[in-house]
Amino acid sequence: MLSLEALRMFDTTVWLRSGDKAAQRLHCSQSTVSRNNVETLGLFGLALERVRGEWQLEGDSTLLLMERRVHQRKRLLQEEGSHPLRIEANFWAAPAFLDPLPEGWEGGAWDHLGMERPLQLLRERVIDAWIGSYQPDLPEHDPELCVIDLCRAPVYLVAAADHPLTERCGLTAADLDPYPSLALPAGMFPKTEAHLRSHGLWQSRVRMKRYRPELWLGRTEDQVTLTYATSLALEMLPGLVRLDYDLGLQSAESLVVRRDLIDHASIQRLHQWLVHRCEWLTDRFADLNVVMDITS
């Protein structure tokens, strides 16, 4: 059986993408992390390969996944001396919901782009929870994962404060047509993409592996490019303002966890903590609606 410390070093490296970051998080040397990870891979007959900037396992990971299941159960017990539980979120959900972090939890990279990697980390038990901000594209009726909406809010069409359309009222699709609008790689958010395309938007593709302000927000500094945001996201996008155009699109901030963990006391406490955080946020954001139902 792999020790708690050994698997924590390995999974923190996978999660944070870096042995250096894992060493900083775990207060040890990078060489200690590297040596441990080599031994762990050798024990299970595995290899690590970089794929689109993320560490992926090569080989039969069945035994490693069994070890992760045991170690996750240990984290969930939250006994004295146990390691913290692990939660991930995107660049706007992290400061809104996880500053400060709930007791007994540690945070992640905060820069994942899209859903694929966080969902993989959940399925493989590298992390224990994720705040997903991508309704309506989060998985429905997934046999492994449960999506619990925390709050819902409209998605707005936004642009730089000095965009030609900021002073216009009652905008139509024809008014938007002359201006480029940001898009992520095809298929990353298929339902949202289809909805925005129906408005003539989602045209100018941005190629980035992780969220980088200069590649997304920076593109709007040309004073013509349009993009999209909820009120929470706008807090992290300085210089952007809402346009008077109804996208007819709602999104949600949702807690995503494995179904086999949903009834565990630690997850229930996390959900309650996040709902209280939502209630606090509604004092600042009038368009946020708290969702109290835990079923999904």
Side-chain angles (χ1 to χ4, degrees):
M1 182 173 179
L2 198 64
S3 73
L4 294 174
E5 288 297 335
L7 187 54
R8 190 184 184 199
M9 284 188 196
F10 183 78
D11 281 350
T12 302
T13 301
V14 170
W15 180 20
L16 301 183
R17 311 184 186 98
S18 161
D20 285 335
K21 291 181 179 178
Q24 294 170 18
R25 171 69 59 89
L26 303 178
H27 307 292
C28 62
S29 68
Q30 193 277 336
S31 60
T32 298
V33 172
S34 178
R35 182 172 60 253
N36 170 86
N37 292 347
V38 169
E39 293 173 355
T40 298
L41 290 168
L43 177 64
F44 292 104
L46 298 169
L48 278 179
E49 180 184 4
R50 283 276 191 192
V51 180
R52 297 190 299 275
E54 303 288 356
W55 287 118
Q56 299 286 1
L57 289 167
E58 285 191 327
D60 185 352
S61 59
T62 303
L63 291 178
L64 176 61
L65 294 178
M66 292 170 66
E67 288 278 2
R68 282 174 170 165
R69 186 183 187 112
V70 172
H71 289 216
Q72 184 178 60
R73 289 288 174 175
K74 179 70 173 177
R75 291 195 299 274
L76 286 163
L77 291 174
Q78 288 288 279
E79 296 172 336
E80 185 176 352
S82 65
H83 294 151
L85 289 151
R86 303 165 186 165
I87 189 167
E88 187 58 86
N90 68 25
F91 75 96
W92 74 75
F97 290 93
L98 301 173
D99 185 14
L101 283 158
E103 184 178 359
W105 290 81
E106 63 179 342
W110 306 153
D111 65 353
H112 288 284
L113 189 65
M115 306 179 296
E116 181 180 358
R117 183 58 170 177
L119 293 177
Q120 180 189 8
L121 294 174
L122 281 172
R123 294 185 197 280
E124 296 181 358
R125 302 181 193 272
V126 175
I127 63 174
D128 307 299
W130 174 49
I131 298 180
S133 307
Y134 307 115
Q135 289 281 21
D137 288 288
L138 289 173
E140 293 183 294
H141 313 299
D142 188 288
E144 289 187 320
L145 302 177
C146 182
V147 178
I148 307 160
D149 287 350
L150 301 168
C151 59
R152 298 190 181 104
V155 179
Y156 300 111
L157 184 65
V158 301
D162 47 6
H163 192 283
L165 296 180
T166 55
E167 301 300 323
R168 300 265 303 273
C169 297
L171 294 173
T172 67
D175 295 319
L176 310 181
D177 189 60
Y179 301 100
S181 53
L182 293 184
L184 290 169
M188 185 172 284
F189 302 110
K191 293 181 181 178
T192 298
E193 177 180 343
H195 185 93
L196 293 173
R197 284 190 180 278
S198 74
H199 289 263
L201 303 166
W202 201 264
Q203 302 165 343
S204 302
R205 189 146 300 153
V206 177
R207 299 186 181 278
M208 56 180 174
K209 296 176 182 178
R210 295 184 284 276
Y211 177 73
R212 292 172 57 187
E214 66 272 20
L215 294 182
W216 187 261
L217 179 61
R219 291 281 293 273
T220 67
E221 293 174 355
D222 61 5
Q223 302 174 13
V224 296
T225 299
L226 306 171
T227 187
Y228 336 92
T230 62
S231 292
L232 288 178
L234 277 174
E235 284 285 288
M236 303 301 295
L237 298 170
L240 297 185
V241 297
R242 290 167 48 183
L243 300 181
D244 186 23
Y245 182 84
D246 184 6
L247 288 173
L249 181 62
Q250 288 273 323
S251 191
E253 307 296 331
S254 306
L255 173 63
V256 188
V257 296
R258 290 189 59 92
R259 287 192 180 276
D260 58 359
L261 305 182
I262 188 61
D263 293 326
H264 200 285
S266 292
I267 300 300
Q268 293 287 321
R269 285 194 295 270
L270 173 65
H271 176 252
Q272 293 168 8
W273 193 92
L274 291 171
V275 169
H276 290 319
R277 186 73 177 181
C278 284
E279 292 169 343
W280 176 78
L281 287 169
T282 58
D283 290 337
R284 297 180 55 210
F285 302 98
D287 59 356
L288 240 59
N289 295 302
V290 179
V291 180
M292 302 301 295
D293 185 10
I294 194 170
T295 60
S296 67

